[in-house]
Amino acid sequence: MSEVKSISKDQLEKIQDFQKELNKLLNEIGFLEAQKTAVLSKFHEVNKQTEDFKKELEEEYGSININLEDGSYTPIEKEKEEVKE
């Protein structure tokens, strides 16, 4: 039978510590990815609510630009199409 060869105890501990740290970091990455997914979902939800509310405002006021500082607004002038003969 062949003799079993091993690295030193210090080398083994060092490689085990590296592996533990890598596993810990992978766990953190998974957690952060889950958080990212939740935040993106919330972002899409708020964005849809914003677009729905814009539609409500447009029904009430027409096409307008709103100053988000003071709430004042100006109508959006639609470009007139040139009539070709």
Side-chain angles (χ1 to χ4, degrees):
M1 289 212 254
S2 66
E3 179 183 340
V4 176
K5 297 181 182 181
S6 298
I7 61 176
S8 72
K9 183 178 177 185
D10 288 341
Q11 290 170 326
L12 178 60
E13 287 174 0
K14 190 170 186 175
I15 196 75
Q16 287 173 334
D17 288 344
F18 285 141
Q19 194 61 48
K20 286 177 190 174
E21 185 68 16
L22 287 171
N23 287 337
K24 178 183 169 194
L25 291 169
L26 282 173
N27 247 352
E28 289 180 30
I29 289 169
F31 177 73
L32 291 170
E33 283 296 327
Q35 281 186 313
K36 176 183 168 185
T37 299
V39 170
L40 282 172
S41 177
K42 183 67 175 174
F43 175 83
H44 291 299
E45 178 185 329
V46 171
N47 194 45
K48 182 176 180 343
Q49 291 172 341
T50 301
E51 292 302 315
D52 291 344
F53 188 63
K54 284 180 181 179
K55 288 177 187 174
E56 288 179 33
L57 291 172
E58 188 170 357
E59 287 176 12
E60 186 171 342
Y61 296 99
S63 294
I64 57 172
N65 283 322
I66 302 171
N67 180 328
L68 296 178
E69 297 295 319
D70 64 11
S72 62
Y73 67 88
T74 55
I76 297 174
E77 294 182 22
K78 295 183 180 180
E79 293 182 25
K80 296 179 182 176
E81 293 182 24
E82 291 183 26
V83 178
K84 293 183 181 180
E85 294 181 26

